[in-house]
Amino acid sequence: MAITLKDLNVRLFTDSADKAQILDMAKQPWIRGFTTNPSLMKLAGISDYRSYARELVEAVPNHHISFEVFSDEISEMLAQGRVINSWGANVYVKLPVTTTRGEPLFEAVRALSHDGVKVNLTAIFTAEQAARGVEALSGGAPACVSVFAGRLADAGIDYRPIMRDAIGWAHDTANVEIIWASTREVFNVVEADEMGCHIITVPPVVLKKLPSLGSRSASELSLDAVKAFREDAVSAGLRLPAATAAVAAD
């Protein structure tokens, strides 16, 4: 039996910085939270970070929402994290796993987490990063570790082992959850759910397809495709005289 939207245990988050899009998604009961990052904010034309974030927190006070630090100096990252933390009880502070120089931030996130700051440790690509991240956050405030499964897949790397390991390590803690990040397709949601992942961040273009999850069988999809090809051929006015087609086939 095909899984449907109401069958999912994994919590669905939207990955976006577009305020109108976030407010629209917040109306859906199956959207449980939101994640943002500097790249998405750049695309959305955000320049006043503090004002933007405060407006968003006020608009979606009952949803998890992650905001990311943008400094490349560890001491300043910690300071920015404390500022972001002050924006609301539902706010998680996103910190990358390293600086741009490759300096790990495990001790920094440990300090923040054990000081009561909700941390979302992001840009996790290796099993070692996931293991050390979960260990650093364990025992602190509620926290997340974001594994970039989609980007690993884009590079031809099998993301399934690291996802399974990370989920297992997090399930052994009382406060850490795993986020399946950089989702590429609807089936990733099914995979995340089957693996027991806590959260999956899904871009709006994929989220829009989820209500139809499990509504069509493979045979029905096949017939839909055949009908679409036929309809497009007719609407495009394609012509191929039978005699010409027969000669071409010989």
Side-chain angles (χ1 to χ4, degrees):
M1 182 177 174
I3 193 169
T4 64
L5 184 59
K6 65 180 177 60
D7 298 320
L8 295 174
N9 291 310
V10 64
R11 305 202 305 279
L12 299 170
F13 284 18
T14 301
D15 196 27
S16 175
D18 184 303
K19 183 179 178 182
Q21 199 170 62
I22 289 174
L23 294 181
D24 184 55
M25 287 293 181
K27 298 174 185 176
Q28 304 298 331
W30 37 278
I31 300 296
R32 306 287 294 280
F34 305 93
T35 57
T36 66
N37 63 49
S39 298
L40 291 172
M41 289 185 180
K42 179 181 177 182
L43 286 174
I46 306 302
S47 57
D48 188 336
Y49 195 172
R50 187 189 299 266
S51 295
Y52 161 79
R54 286 188 174 279
E55 289 176 8
L56 209 51
V57 170
E58 184 177 352
V60 289
N62 299 317
H63 291 71
H64 166 131
I65 185 162
S66 288
F67 296 108
E68 190 165 344
V69 304
F70 52 84
S71 175
D72 198 36
E73 301 299 328
I74 295 177
S75 60
E76 190 173 359
M77 286 177 163
L78 289 169
Q80 289 182 350
R82 295 184 189 283
V83 170
I84 292 172
N85 179 65
S86 71
W87 292 344
N90 60 327
V91 171
Y92 280 64
V93 179
K94 286 182 77 172
L95 290 102
V97 67
T98 70
T99 66
T100 61
R101 298 175 295 281
E103 301 166 310
L105 266 72
F106 301 115
E107 293 309 312
V109 300
R110 187 194 307 275
L112 282 177
S113 180
H114 286 74
D115 199 28
V117 175
K118 295 176 182 176
V119 172
N120 179 349
L121 184 62
T122 193
I124 300 292
F125 282 80
T126 72
E128 181 186 5
Q129 289 175 337
R132 293 188 65 186
V134 170
E135 189 277 329
L137 294 165
S138 179
C144 299
V145 171
S146 293
V147 181
F148 281 45
R151 294 199 191 191
L152 284 169
D154 286 345
I157 299 172
D158 188 352
Y159 54 81
R160 291 169 294 182
I162 181 177
M163 290 304 308
R164 291 192 183 98
D165 286 344
I167 292 164
W169 295 324
H171 276 297
D172 288 337
T173 75
N175 67 301
V176 182
E177 296 185 308
I178 300 302
I179 294 180
W180 181 303
S182 62
T183 300
R184 296 296 188 256
E185 58 191 12
V186 169
F187 189 67
N188 292 153
V189 178
V190 177
E191 287 182 300
D193 188 70
E194 290 178 344
M195 286 187 191
C197 194
H198 305 86
I199 299 163
I200 184 166
T201 57
V202 186
V205 65
V206 176
L207 277 175
K208 290 177 181 177
K209 300 176 183 179
L210 282 178
S212 62
L213 184 66
S215 64
R216 307 287 285 171
S217 69
S219 295
E220 289 171 327
L221 290 170
S222 175
L223 188 58
D224 288 345
V226 172
K227 289 179 178 179
F229 294 149
R230 170 59 181 165
E231 290 170 2
D232 288 343
V234 172
S235 64
L238 299 182
R239 296 288 184 272
L240 188 61
T244 304
V247 171
D250 293 336

